[in-house]
């Protein structure tokens, strides 16, 4: 089995969730080849044929990020860090294309046969925060993938994180539950 986990991460939280999901897939399928790829590296040649494609990203403005929402978020966090005199450390590639752009510009339609997929996001635990996982799931289906799990969200404590206690373990368990027919 080959699983590829594609993620967009601005401050490392979504990357941490993607890594935990990969650990879960590997624990459930020790023979599996599992690769986690930041969206900027997820070109068709790197994805190749997969048995399971898992895609995730952060939630911005109640949905998937856009180029504008990423720039706004990074700018606001940089200003807040400057005011608090703390380091500002976005992920490498955070200003690049996100998952929304990747679906539009990079991910080819699934070919013939069964193509298993799953969607996840990271999100704040606040009223009206929204979720990106549903939009990711819709785009996966639109590209010809069959969802093997309901879209899942993992909670962060603040815009830059950290992940809420227990979320990494929950992501690992969710990854282990992803079964390919």
């Amino acid at each position: 089995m080959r699983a590829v986990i594609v993620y967009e991460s601005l401050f490392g939280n979504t990357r941490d969730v993607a890594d935990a999901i990969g650990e879960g897939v590997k624990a459930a399928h020790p023979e599996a080849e599992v690769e986690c790829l930041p969206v900027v590296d997820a070109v068709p040649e790197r994805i190749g044929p997969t048995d399971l494609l898992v895609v995730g990203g952060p939630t911005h403005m109640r949905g998937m990020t856009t180029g504008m929402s990423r720039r706004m978020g990074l700018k606001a966090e940089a200003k807040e860090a400057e005011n608090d005199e703390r380091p500002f450390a976005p992920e490498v590639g955070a200003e690049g294309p996100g998952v929304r752009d990747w679906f539009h510009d990079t991910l080819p339609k699934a070919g013939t046969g069964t193509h298993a997929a799953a969607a996840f996001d990271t999100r704040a635990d606040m009223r009206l925060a929204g979720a990106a996982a549903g939009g990711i799931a819709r785009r996966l289906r639109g590209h010809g993938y069959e969802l093997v799990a309901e879209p899942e969200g993992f909670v962060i404590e603040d815009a830059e994180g950290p992940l809420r206690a227990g979320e990494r373990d929950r992501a690992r368990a969710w990854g282990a539950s992803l079964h390919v027919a």
Side-chain angles (χ1 to χ4, degrees):
M1 176 175 136
R2 181 163 189 272
V4 176
I5 303 164
V6 175
Y7 65 89
E8 172 188 349
S9 189
L10 299 180
F11 300 105
N13 301 300
T14 311
R15 175 183 35 83
D16 287 346
V17 169
D19 288 343
I21 291 168
E23 291 166 11
V25 170
K26 190 73 174 167
H29 305 279
E31 78 293 347
E33 174 191 338
V34 178
E35 185 172 14
C36 287
L37 293 172
V39 70
V40 297
D41 294 335
V43 295
E45 300 78 35
R46 293 271 317 262
I47 296 171
T50 63
D51 298 300
L52 175 64
L53 177 63
V54 181
V55 181
T59 300
H60 279 197
M61 299 163 64
R62 300 191 339 217
M64 292 171 59
T65 67
T66 64
M68 181 181 74
S69 74
R70 280 192 309 282
R71 285 189 299 277
M72 287 172 49
L74 289 167
K75 185 176 181 179
E77 290 302 318
K79 184 173 178 122
E80 190 175 307
E82 183 180 295
N83 291 341
D84 294 346
E85 296 181 12
R86 60 182 164 87
F88 174 64
E91 289 275 292
V92 173
E95 294 177 3
V99 169
R100 182 186 300 263
D101 302 319
W102 177 76
F103 275 114
H104 186 265
D105 299 333
T106 307
L107 181 66
K109 297 282 186 188
T112 58
T114 302
H115 297 279
F120 74 95
D121 66 29
T122 51
R123 58 180 80 156
D125 184 18
M126 60 177 51
R127 200 169 84 91
L128 302 176
I136 293 169
R138 280 190 298 283
R139 281 167 177 80
L140 283 166
R141 282 192 302 270
H143 276 74
Y145 288 86
E146 181 182 330
L147 296 178
V148 297
E150 289 296 316
E152 189 62 63
F154 299 93
V155 178
I156 58 171
E157 294 293 347
D158 193 20
E160 286 188 47
L163 284 170
R164 179 172 283 170
E167 290 298 87
R168 197 168 202 296
D169 291 336
R170 201 166 68 77
R172 192 177 301 111
W174 187 73
S177 76
L178 300 175
H179 295 290
V180 179

